[in-house]
Amino acid sequence: MGGGEPADERREGPMALPGRGELKSSIMAPLPNAELVQNSLQLYRYLLRCCKQLPEENIRQHYRHAVRQSFKVHADEDNPERIQQIIKRAIEDADWVMNKYKKQK
Protein backbone atom coordinates (compact mmCIF):
# COMPACT_ATOMS: atom_id res chain seq x y z
CA MET A 1 0.00 0.00 0.00
CA GLY A 2 1.01 3.61 -0.13
CA GLY A 3 4.24 3.75 -2.18
CA GLY A 4 5.07 2.18 -5.49
CA GLU A 5 3.99 2.91 -8.99
CA PRO A 6 0.43 3.87 -9.90
CA ALA A 7 -1.69 1.00 -11.26
CA ASP A 8 -1.43 2.22 -14.87
CA GLU A 9 2.38 2.35 -14.68
CA ARG A 10 2.93 -1.26 -13.56
CA ARG A 11 5.04 -3.32 -15.93
CA GLU A 12 3.08 -6.57 -15.83
CA GLY A 13 1.96 -7.25 -19.41
CA PRO A 14 3.24 -10.09 -21.58
CA MET A 15 5.94 -7.89 -23.07
CA ALA A 16 6.44 -5.64 -20.05
CA LEU A 17 9.80 -3.95 -19.90
CA PRO A 18 11.12 -2.17 -16.80
CA GLY A 19 12.32 1.40 -17.09
CA ARG A 20 10.75 1.94 -20.47
CA GLY A 21 9.39 5.43 -19.89
CA GLU A 22 6.09 7.05 -20.72
CA LEU A 23 3.97 6.00 -23.68
CA LYS A 24 2.62 8.65 -26.00
CA SER A 25 -1.10 8.82 -26.61
CA SER A 26 -0.73 8.58 -30.42
CA ILE A 27 0.50 4.98 -30.40
CA MET A 28 -0.08 2.86 -33.47
CA ALA A 29 -0.40 -0.88 -32.98
CA PRO A 30 2.48 -3.02 -34.28
CA LEU A 31 0.17 -5.18 -36.41
CA PRO A 32 -3.19 -4.49 -37.98
CA ASN A 33 -6.28 -5.48 -36.00
CA ALA A 34 -4.81 -4.93 -32.52
CA GLU A 35 -8.14 -3.33 -31.64
CA LEU A 36 -9.83 -6.69 -32.29
CA VAL A 37 -7.95 -8.44 -29.47
CA GLN A 38 -10.62 -9.15 -26.84
CA ASN A 39 -9.41 -12.15 -24.85
CA SER A 40 -6.21 -13.77 -23.65
CA LEU A 41 -5.98 -16.35 -26.43
CA GLN A 42 -6.32 -13.67 -29.10
CA LEU A 43 -3.68 -11.60 -27.30
CA TYR A 44 -1.30 -14.56 -27.08
CA ARG A 45 -1.60 -15.26 -30.81
CA TYR A 46 -1.28 -11.56 -31.64
CA LEU A 47 1.92 -11.19 -29.60
CA LEU A 48 3.48 -14.30 -31.13
CA ARG A 49 2.74 -12.87 -34.60
CA CYS A 50 4.48 -9.66 -33.52
CA CYS A 51 7.51 -11.72 -32.47
CA LYS A 52 7.73 -13.22 -35.97
CA GLN A 53 8.38 -9.73 -37.33
CA LEU A 54 11.43 -9.07 -35.16
CA PRO A 55 14.74 -8.91 -37.05
CA GLU A 56 16.94 -11.60 -35.46
CA GLU A 57 16.23 -15.13 -34.23
CA ASN A 58 17.71 -14.56 -30.77
CA ILE A 59 15.51 -11.48 -30.32
CA ARG A 60 12.44 -13.41 -31.49
CA GLN A 61 13.22 -16.23 -29.04
CA HIS A 62 13.67 -13.76 -26.18
CA TYR A 63 10.29 -12.10 -26.69
CA ARG A 64 8.46 -15.39 -27.39
CA HIS A 65 9.81 -16.62 -24.06
CA ALA A 66 8.71 -13.39 -22.34
CA VAL A 67 5.20 -13.72 -23.81
CA ARG A 68 4.87 -17.35 -22.68
CA GLN A 69 6.18 -16.62 -19.19
CA SER A 70 3.83 -13.72 -18.71
CA PHE A 71 0.85 -15.81 -19.76
CA LYS A 72 1.81 -18.43 -17.21
CA VAL A 73 2.07 -15.75 -14.52
CA HIS A 74 -1.37 -14.32 -15.35
CA ALA A 75 -3.12 -17.62 -16.12
CA ASP A 76 -5.24 -17.50 -12.95
CA GLU A 77 -6.47 -13.94 -13.48
CA ASP A 78 -10.27 -13.93 -13.43
CA ASN A 79 -11.13 -10.24 -13.05
CA PRO A 80 -12.43 -9.10 -16.49
CA GLU A 81 -11.43 -5.48 -15.84
CA ARG A 82 -7.88 -6.53 -14.92
CA ILE A 83 -7.67 -8.81 -17.99
CA GLN A 84 -8.60 -5.89 -20.25
CA GLN A 85 -5.99 -3.75 -18.50
CA ILE A 86 -3.33 -6.43 -19.14
CA ILE A 87 -4.39 -6.75 -22.80
CA LYS A 88 -4.16 -2.99 -23.34
CA ARG A 89 -0.74 -2.80 -21.70
CA ALA A 90 0.59 -5.82 -23.61
CA ILE A 91 -0.38 -4.25 -26.94
CA GLU A 92 1.28 -0.96 -25.92
CA ASP A 93 4.43 -2.85 -24.90
CA ALA A 94 4.44 -4.79 -28.18
CA ASP A 95 4.22 -1.49 -30.06
CA TRP A 96 7.21 -0.14 -28.13
CA VAL A 97 9.26 -3.28 -28.86
CA MET A 98 8.37 -3.25 -32.55
CA ASN A 99 9.28 0.45 -32.84
CA LYS A 100 12.53 -0.12 -30.97
CA TYR A 101 13.72 -2.72 -33.47
CA LYS A 102 12.29 -0.86 -36.47
CA LYS A 103 14.55 2.10 -35.63
CA GLN A 104 17.63 -0.16 -35.45
CA LYS A 105 17.24 -1.47 -39.01
Side-chain angles (χ1 to χ4, degrees):
M1 293 191 176
E5 294 181 295
D8 56 82
E9 286 299 311
R10 282 185 255 154
R11 309 271 187 244
E12 297 182 22
M15 295 185 88
L17 300 170
R20 192 186 67 163
E22 293 290 324
L23 291 172
K24 295 180 181 166
S25 61
S26 62
I27 291 177
M28 278 183 49
L31 284 178
N33 302 320
E35 66 279 358
L36 299 177
V37 174
Q38 298 296 316
N39 62 48
S40 57
L41 179 59
Q42 291 172 341
L43 177 64
Y44 185 74
R45 294 178 69 196
Y46 175 81
L47 293 174
L48 291 179
R49 283 194 303 272
C50 288
C51 290
K52 287 182 180 181
Q53 293 187 353
L54 294 171
E56 298 175 20
E57 182 59 28
N58 63 335
I59 295 168
R60 289 190 293 271
Q61 287 177 354
H62 170 78
Y63 285 106
R64 274 195 311 262
H65 178 75
V67 168
R68 289 179 180 129
Q69 288 300 108
S70 191
F71 272 83
K72 290 177 184 176
V73 167
H74 295 291
D76 61 344
E77 185 63 60
D78 58 358
N79 179 342
E81 187 176 303
R82 178 70 179 126
I83 291 170
Q84 289 305 309
Q85 183 182 46
I86 292 168
I87 289 171
K88 181 180 181 287
R89 186 54 184 246
I91 292 171
E92 291 172 353
D93 289 348
D95 182 55
W96 183 86
V97 169
M98 299 301 288
N99 286 332
K100 173 184 172 182
Y101 288 104
K102 189 183 299 183
K103 291 176 186 175
Q104 291 181 358
K105 284 186 175 181

